[in-house]
Amino acid sequence: MSDAEPILHMFTPLGKTSPFDVNMAVDAGFKTIAYYTGVELKDVVPLTQDAMFSRSPDDAKRTVLFFGGKDASLALDQMAAAASALFPPFEISLFADPSGAFTTAAAMIAEVEQELRKTRPDGLKGVKVQVYGATGIIGGIAAVIAAQAGAEVTIVSHLVIEDVEAKAIDSKKRFGVKLHCAVAKNDEEKKALVADVEVILTCASAGIEVISTAVLEAATKLLVAADINAVPPNGVSGVDSHADGVKLPHGVGIGALTIGQTKYQVQHQILKRIRDSDKALQVGIIEAYELARQLTA
């Protein structure tokens, strides 16, 4: 292994770098971190080349590019652009996790799958899943991961169906998954929608109860409800932040801090692995989910 000091270059299209990601990187052992704000897609290749050619081939693998921001598609496009610039022996590591969405969504689906496997050996395969807050970055990626795992996924809008239809079209083009679309503006519409649902994922804005007790009572086939909102009121009635298999009228609930603990471990372990690896790595949604499944197995 090279003795060169690991260097983490953090790219974001936003005006500020995420303090969360900086803290995570330091706790994973990175001592040298550089920050780049306002990074556009066109900037990525020249920045990558600057990073890869400034060290010897043996030391190049000790260089890491991290892609942040709040746009999943842009982060993936930026990582793909960086990857296109690499060639042996000048290869460096790449990691995309905008707004922590990839690691959070991976942790959420892994926690749900772990609960499902207690009664369903096939996990998410064939399970009917509804995602509320799917137009957000975490909800959209959670829907994709669930669909890739074999679930029948419906993304639900609380306003107009066009909002989720645009997300479904993009997910089909980018990830090759089919997402169904629905609208539920109030509890009565949600009651009708959840009649045959088996998994509910709530990824809406903080402090908003998305699924009430009345809606849960109507979800007679529900197996698991998971929520990423840690700010009261929580997204699912009866599912507080610490919930880890709490009993609901039907099925069980998983709360934000339970998911968050797994998310933290996923991001921490990825950063440590990249820092200590003797070869260049590329880590995105699939790799984050695979690690989350290992940690929850």
Side-chain angles (χ1 to χ4, degrees):
M1 179 183 293
S2 169
D3 292 329
E5 179 69 22
I7 301 175
L8 179 64
H9 299 274
M10 306 187 77
F11 295 172
T12 177
L14 305 178
K16 296 180 176 62
T17 300
S18 165
F20 187 103
D21 292 330
V22 174
N23 289 353
M24 292 292 295
V26 171
D27 288 348
F30 282 96
K31 297 178 181 178
T32 304
I33 304 173
Y35 318 98
Y36 308 79
T37 59
V39 177
E40 299 180 25
L41 184 58
K42 65 181 176 61
D43 301 323
V44 172
V45 168
L47 286 171
T48 301
Q49 291 171 335
D50 272 0
M52 62 192 277
F53 291 136
S54 58
R55 310 183 94 173
S56 71
D58 286 342
D59 294 339
K61 57 182 172 290
R62 310 295 284 162
T63 302
V64 183
L65 306 185
F66 176 87
F67 301 92
K70 293 183 178 296
D71 185 325
S73 296
L74 179 56
L76 290 170
D77 287 344
Q78 290 189 338
M79 187 166 79
S84 73
L86 304 180
F87 58 87
F90 295 96
E91 294 174 297
I92 60 181
S93 290
L94 312 175
F95 176 27
D97 194 22
S99 290
F102 296 175
T103 49
T104 301
M108 185 181 209
I109 301 303
E111 288 285 347
V112 167
E113 189 172 31
Q114 180 192 42
E115 193 65 49
L116 286 173
R117 287 190 184 279
K118 295 177 181 179
T119 56
R120 294 177 57 95
D122 289 337
L124 280 159
K125 187 175 181 180
V127 171
K128 293 182 178 180
V129 176
Q130 291 176 6
V131 184
Y132 294 78
T135 56
I137 185 170
I138 296 174
I141 296 301
V144 167
I145 295 174
Q148 289 176 332
E152 181 182 328
V153 180
T154 298
I155 51 178
V156 184
S157 171
H158 70 285
L159 293 174
V160 294
I161 199 164
E162 286 80 7
D163 290 342
V164 285
E165 285 178 337
K167 178 71 70 172
I169 291 170
D170 181 68
S171 297
K172 178 67 174 178
K173 290 179 179 179
R174 184 176 291 274
F175 303 105
V177 297
K178 180 179 181 180
L179 303 178
H180 304 281
C181 300
V183 175
K185 300 178 182 178
N186 51 51
D187 271 10
E188 291 307 309
E189 293 180 357
K190 290 174 187 175
K191 286 180 188 178
L193 194 60
V194 302
D196 63 349
V197 73
E198 294 164 293
V199 170
I200 291 175
L201 308 176
T202 56
C203 307
S205 300
I208 298 175
E209 183 181 271
V210 179
I211 304 296
S212 67
T213 300
V215 174
L216 288 174
E217 289 173 346
T220 57
K221 297 182 181 179
L222 183 67
L223 300 174
V224 184
D227 175 40
I228 63 165
N229 172 27
V231 179
N234 300 100
V236 179
S237 177
V239 180
D240 66 28
S241 296
H242 296 278
D244 186 6
V246 65
K247 294 293 184 182
L248 300 175
H250 307 284
V252 299
I254 301 171
L257 293 184
T258 298
I259 295 168
Q261 288 171 359
T262 299
K263 177 266 190 303
Y264 174 86
Q265 287 301 321
V266 172
Q267 188 171 354
H268 182 70
Q269 290 297 327
I270 288 172
L271 287 166
K272 284 188 65 177
R273 290 182 184 185
I274 290 178
R275 181 189 180 279
D276 298 334
S277 178
D278 61 357
K279 63 179 182 180
L281 304 176
Q282 294 186 23
V283 181
I285 298 168
I286 294 174
E287 294 79 13
Y289 178 52
E290 289 175 348
L291 178 55
R293 293 187 75 198
Q294 293 172 18
L295 294 172
T296 56

